[in-house]
Amino acid sequence: MKQIQQSVYTFDKNNPPVERVCPGEELLFCTMDCFGNQIQSEEQLVAQIDFSRTNPAAGPVYIEGAEVGDVLVVDILDIQVAKQGFVCTSGGCGPLIEDSELRTRLVKVENKVATFRDLSFLVEPMIGVIGTAPDGDAIATGHPGPHGGNMDSKKITKGARVYLPVRVPGALLQMGDLHAAMGDSELCGTGVEIAGEILVRVNLIKHFPLNWPVTETATHWYVNASGKTYEETLKAASLELRRLMEPVYGWDKTDLYLYLSIQGDVEINQACRPVAVDMILRFGIPKIPGKRPLIG
């Protein structure tokens, strides 16, 4: 099995691949935390770190046979996290920062249990950054987009399957930014940021149009979208989910719209930062026994 240890800080068609693999192969991505393992004590604040080393993503990996217009399928087989992570506040980030201090808290992890102050809880490791290279300009790994990137979705965890659009030959898969635990919206700008290892299997679906990344869980389908406003982002996710449903359900656009209103759930991945893209959400529907997959 190939191990991916080198990281980059952009999703870029010009990033040279560190490995080449075939569909069906398993890979182990060895990832740093979102600040490149710079924070090791509670005395260190975000303002003191080197921001050129944030959101490292291990890769990229070239997938043999991946062509523009295909879909890259990534099965998340396992996620193992380190024994220590951290959570911290950052200036200008989140709705409560005005009356909160800049602070770092270390979070110990032992036997799949995390400890924050006097509370302990089970870890739920998830992948914050996962995506393929865009066909245009490079995109920093800290940002989301139609290529994936920093989606920060709690649903991208062990057992999930992620579908990513292939925009350049080889797809150029990258991932990182693990969280041992994170609440929807990531209110202060960090979850339990932590280093670790991600075991995945990659495959391809040939010639399938996909505008936004999709996550499949045991029970649901989710379209992941991002934008400058909630309204813009919700519309993008809704349009894509309805488009994927149309050939599977066999209904017209209006009946699909009605169904999405009674069975679709909008969940906010991240809404904590005043940047160019400040809304990231997922829009999901339950799987229906007997219905063929939305993608495939």
Side-chain angles (χ1 to χ4, degrees), residues 23-291:
E25 283 195 56
E26 293 183 4
L27 295 161
L28 187 69
F29 286 81
C30 304
T31 69
M32 295 182 280
D33 65 44
C34 73
F35 295 146
N37 297 345
Q38 295 181 75
I39 290 183
Q40 298 296 323
S41 77
E42 293 188 342
E43 285 66 45
Q44 293 175 279
L45 303 177
V46 172
Q48 300 165 343
I49 69 169
D50 178 357
F51 275 88
S52 69
R53 295 168 54 197
T54 59
N55 284 102
V61 174
Y62 187 102
I63 314 301
E64 301 287 357
E67 301 173 304
V68 176
D70 294 343
V71 171
L72 178 62
V73 184
V74 183
D75 285 302
I76 314 300
L77 304 179
D78 197 17
I79 303 175
Q80 296 293 325
V81 296
K83 294 182 178 180
Q84 178 176 285
F86 65 90
V87 59
C88 61
T89 51
S90 179
C93 190
L96 306 181
I97 191 61
E98 291 181 0
D99 60 358
S100 298
E101 297 177 3
L102 294 184
R103 179 177 295 166
T104 299
R105 292 287 191 195
L106 296 183
V107 179
K108 300 291 185 181
V109 176
E110 186 174 2
N111 297 324
K112 300 184 179 180
V113 174
T115 301
F116 176 83
R117 294 185 60 99
D118 59 341
L119 296 178
S120 295
F121 47 89
L122 290 174
V123 299
E124 299 180 85
M126 45 80 66
I127 303 168
V129 172
I130 180 170
T132 54
D135 56 0
D137 294 338
I139 299 175
T141 49
H143 291 272
H147 68 294
N150 190 26
M151 296 185 286
D152 272 335
S153 170
K154 288 175 59 174
K155 302 301 181 181
I156 302 180
T157 187
K158 180 180 178 179
R161 173 174 286 176
V162 181
Y163 299 86
L164 297 164
V166 176
R167 304 289 192 223
V168 301
L172 299 182
L173 175 66
Q174 300 170 196
M175 65 185 72
D177 185 30
L178 288 179
H179 303 86
M182 191 192 83
D184 274 339
S185 86
E186 198 181 29
L187 196 68
C188 79
T190 53
V192 178
E193 308 295 334
I194 200 162
E197 297 179 342
I198 310 163
L199 179 64
V200 306
R201 181 187 301 114
V202 295
N203 274 293
L204 289 174
I205 297 174
K206 302 296 291 182
H207 312 304
F208 190 98
L210 191 62
N211 298 313
W212 291 95
V214 170
T215 304
E216 178 187 359
T217 70
T219 59
H220 283 73
W221 293 95
Y222 294 93
V223 170
N224 299 272
S226 56
K228 294 183 179 180
T229 66
Y230 172 78
E231 291 78 10
E232 172 190 328
T233 309
L234 178 59
K235 184 170 184 178
S238 303
L239 283 170
E240 181 71 345
L241 185 54
R242 186 177 70 174
R243 183 186 71 83
L244 292 169
M245 291 172 65
E246 194 167 2
V248 174
Y249 285 68
W251 304 340
D252 68 14
K253 287 182 171 60
T254 302
D255 276 346
L256 288 168
Y257 188 21
L258 296 173
Y259 180 76
L260 286 174
S261 191
I262 58 177
Q263 286 287 280
D265 286 316
V266 181
E267 301 169 10
I268 305 299
N269 297 0
Q270 189 195 81
C272 59
R273 55 184 183 164
V275 294
V277 175
D278 53 14
M279 175 55 61
I280 312 168
L281 59 76
R282 58 187 183 267
F283 190 21
I285 55 168
K287 287 181 172 178
I288 304 298
K291 289 285 187 188

Side-chain angles (χ1 to χ4, degrees), residues 4-27:
I4 314 303
Q5 301 197 32
Q6 179 178 319
S7 292
V8 292
Y9 298 90
T10 59
F11 286 90
D12 188 346
K13 61 188 175 186
N14 297 313
N15 283 337
V18 299
E19 286 287 359
R20 301 173 77 99
V21 301
C22 294
E25 283 195 56
E26 293 183 4
L27 295 161

